[in-house]
Amino acid sequence: MRPQVQILIRTFCSHSTDFEVHRNWLAITHNLPLSQWYYEATSEWTLDYPPFFAWFEYALSHIAKYFDPEMLVIENLNYTSPATVFFQRFSVIFTDVLFIYAVRECCRCVNGKRAAKDILEKPAFILAVLLLWNFGLLIVDHIHFQYNGFLFGIMLLSVARLCQKRYLEGAFLFAVLLHFKHIFVYVAPAYGIYLLRSYCFTASNADGSVKWRSFSFLRITLLGLIVCLVSALSLGPFIVLGQLPQVISRLFPFKRGLCHAYWAPNFWALYSAVDKALTVVGTVCRSCYLPSVFCLWFKPQGPRGFLQCLVLCALSSFMFGWHVHEKAILLAILPFSLLSVQRAKDAGIYLILTTTGHFSLFPLLFTAPELPIKVLLMLLFSVYSFSSLKSLYRRERPLLNWLETIYLIHLVPLEVFCEIVFPLTPWKPRFPFVPLLLTSVYCAVGIAYAWLKLYVSVLSERAVRQKAE
């Protein structure tokens, strides 16, 4: 077992680019006054997260100084030391306590209609394992390095509070989350519509439509106060300093394009014309989450309908957003876990999305020592998710059809080619991007298919329900 232990220790002590990103943010918030946080540019990894995350780094920096003060020197670019890596690794592990608590609360929200004598077959237990042992979150946070765990913990806790009809707590948690990391704005439409429909309107008609006279001005005022107070606490100091435009420019950077302001009549003029046309198409496509929002408004189905809309908003933004990080797929996978243990059709779509979405994260770990670790972890999670959900729905039809099964099986030869065959070919020096290209394109097919299948499932489910009424 000694070689395996050495690999694990080497992986724990290794560091990615994001180590330097967060080290720099620790240094900025520790040494500079608030007025300079979003102006400091010594490093290329400038502070580009909302203020609550900056304050989080500030708090961590006062603990970090006891491990290695040198990590807090702004000019120490690309600084690493065993103490620095140790501190950053364990800060991620410590903040995961919030994620664990949120998973516990989500498991309490899972209905117990599928009774099982064996605890291993209970939906709540399966959900706990799917969330706590999520392969994507594990490698992104604890091998690659980021602080997604506690952020998703806040999101899952807000989902749990909404499922428990503790609407103001859920709204508060989501408002706080947006000021920690603005990527969660992707799912804001689901939260906004659900809170408006289920909390601000206190009753529905017999056919499920909204009862307009039940609108509560007091409740929408309370929601507005929560949003305004959280925003004031986060952005207020920068508004007073007159720095809000600078903060916004860091959070949403718009860089110069390829062409000069005056389009010379050359190839790049044609490129720009096509690019502008695609921009319009992309803008239209980014609105494809609207049908799910309309369903949530006109035919609400309680927490289940909210979760469906949340996942579709996340997937739609992932599919058609600009400059989307590959890690953003976790924004759809994690809440989808709650749906997978409640209905067989959702479980089948979940398996496709999870397998392809997690496989698409493989290029994040590209060194030879990391290869057996990511393959083993992915294999363990996949075997458990397939076997547990198959056992949960063993009395129903198969979760995947033959075509979906063949598609997922072909991920194995794809990985063999990308990791073993291609590096031995003479094409690697000239075309090093080929493995990443093949992985992204193949996984994009599976993710797009899962998105479409979920959309069809949601819309058809509402149509059948409407006919029955």
Side-chain angles (χ1 to χ4, degrees):
M1 290 293 292
R2 186 172 297 176
Q4 290 85 342
V5 172
Q6 290 177 348
I7 290 175
L8 289 173
I9 294 174
R10 192 181 300 118
T11 301
F12 184 84
C13 297
S14 65
H15 57 276
S16 63
T17 304
D18 282 320
F19 270 96
E20 172 59 18
V21 172
H22 290 281
R23 185 214 62 81
N24 186 55
W25 293 358
L26 288 171
I28 290 173
T29 56
H30 185 79
N31 293 288
L32 300 178
L34 181 70
S35 59
Q36 297 182 33
W37 283 4
Y38 287 93
Y39 282 93
E40 165 59 35
T42 301
S43 169
E44 62 179 310
W45 311 116
T46 53
L47 181 59
D48 58 4
Y49 270 31
F52 279 177
F53 199 92
W55 285 111
F56 168 72
E57 295 279 4
Y58 173 80
L60 286 181
S61 71
H62 286 277
I63 304 174
K65 64 184 180 183
Y66 295 107
F67 286 80
D68 186 353
E70 291 299 312
M71 79 171 86
L72 301 176
V73 178
I74 296 177
E75 291 74 19
N76 282 352
L77 302 182
N78 299 311
Y79 177 81
T80 58
S81 69
T84 300
V85 176
F86 178 86
F87 167 76
Q88 290 186 294
R89 287 288 190 194
F90 270 97
S91 65
V92 175
I93 295 173
F94 178 76
T95 54
D96 272 354
V97 171
L98 179 57
F99 182 75
I100 296 171
Y101 174 71
V103 170
R104 174 181 174 273
E105 292 299 299
C106 286
C107 291
R108 293 174 61 186
C109 297
V110 175
N111 59 53
K113 292 180 180 180
R114 295 180 176 273
K117 295 182 180 179
D118 189 353
I119 190 175
L120 299 179
E121 296 183 357
K122 289 186 176 181
F125 179 83
I126 295 173
L127 175 62
V129 177
L130 292 180
L131 289 172
L132 294 174
W133 187 248
N134 183 272
F135 167 77
L137 191 59
L138 185 64
I139 67 166
V140 168
D141 273 16
H142 298 283
I143 299 181
H144 179 72
F145 181 78
Q146 278 191 353
Y147 289 98
N148 292 294
F150 89 92
L151 296 175
F152 280 117
I154 298 175
M155 186 190 77
L156 291 177
L157 190 56
S158 71
V159 169
R161 293 298 180 248
L162 294 185
C163 292
Q164 297 163 356
K165 297 185 178 181
R166 295 159 66 174
Y167 297 107
L168 292 180
E169 290 181 46
F172 171 76
L173 287 168
F174 184 69
V176 169
L177 179 62
L178 286 178
H179 289 276
F180 265 104
K181 193 169 184 178
H182 48 304
I183 192 176
F184 291 95
V185 75
Y186 288 160
V187 297
Y191 276 87
I193 294 299
Y194 184 69
L195 285 168
L196 184 63
R197 185 67 173 81
S198 300
Y199 178 68
C200 296
F201 286 92
T202 58
S204 299
N205 293 316
D207 61 353
S209 60
V210 62
K211 194 171 186 177
W212 295 100
R213 291 184 178 180
S214 68
F215 181 75
S216 172
F217 285 99
L218 174 62
R219 291 189 173 191
I220 198 169
T221 301
L222 290 174
L223 287 178
L225 282 175
I226 287 174
V227 173
C228 290
L229 288 174
V230 172
S231 299
L233 186 62
S234 171
L235 301 173
F238 300 97
I239 295 175
V240 172
L241 293 169
Q243 296 182 356
L244 184 60
Q246 174 63 17
V247 175
I248 299 299
S249 68
R250 282 286 182 87
L251 300 184
F252 305 97
F254 296 98
K255 298 182 179 180
R256 292 177 61 186
L258 178 63
C259 303
H260 190 270
Y262 186 94
W263 290 5
N266 55 15
F267 171 80
W268 300 115
L270 300 175
Y271 163 86
S272 297
V274 174
D275 182 60
K276 294 296 181 183
L278 289 175
T279 300
V280 175
V281 174
T283 302
V284 174
C285 290
R286 284 198 296 276
S287 302
C288 62
Y289 65 86
L290 289 177
S292 65
V293 173
F294 291 149
C295 285
L296 185 61
W297 174 262
F298 290 108
K299 292 292 180 181
Q301 289 185 305
R304 173 178 169 74
F306 164 66
L307 280 170
Q308 289 176 329
C309 183
L310 188 152
V311 172
L312 285 171
C313 284
L315 273 178
S316 299
S317 301
F318 180 83
M319 289 295 300
F320 300 106
W322 293 106
H323 304 288
V324 175
H325 286 217
E326 68 286 337
K327 298 178 283 290
I329 192 61
L330 297 176
L331 187 55
I333 290 176
L334 290 170
F336 203 176
S337 304
L338 278 75
L339 292 173
S340 70
V341 297
Q342 298 182 43
R343 197 176 68 154
K345 182 178 284 189
D346 290 333
I349 302 172
Y350 169 82
L351 291 175
I352 298 171
L353 178 65
T354 303
T355 306
T356 52
H358 285 166
F359 187 86
S360 70
L361 299 175
F362 266 32
L364 282 175
L365 308 180
F366 51 85
T367 63
E370 292 170 327
L371 176 59
I373 295 176
K374 67 182 181 183
V375 170
L376 178 60
L377 291 177
M378 173 78 174
L379 188 61
L380 288 173
F381 180 83
S382 298
V383 168
Y384 177 79
S385 58
F386 275 82
S387 60
S388 61
L389 292 175
K390 182 180 178 181
S391 175
L392 184 63
Y393 301 107
R394 58 180 173 271
R395 296 180 181 178
E396 303 186 32
R397 64 180 184 178
L399 300 181
L400 302 176
N401 60 42
W402 65 271
L403 190 60
E404 295 165 346
T405 303
I406 291 175
Y407 168 80
L408 294 180
I409 289 175
H410 276 82
L411 290 171
V412 176
L414 175 61
E415 175 65 7
V416 171
F417 176 80
C418 292
E419 297 285 358
I420 300 175
V421 177
F422 185 79
L424 300 177
T425 66
W427 302 322
K428 184 181 179 181
R430 294 188 60 189
F431 307 105
F433 57 86
V434 167
L436 178 58
L437 175 65
L438 292 176
T439 301
S440 295
V441 171
Y442 194 82
C443 291
V445 173
I447 293 173
Y449 174 79
W451 171 71
L452 285 171
K453 190 170 183 179
L454 179 60
Y455 234 132
V456 171
S457 173
V458 170
L459 296 178
S460 60
E461 179 183 341
R462 304 298 169 91
V464 170
R465 189 181 176 195
Q466 189 172 6
K467 286 182 180 180
E469 292 173 352

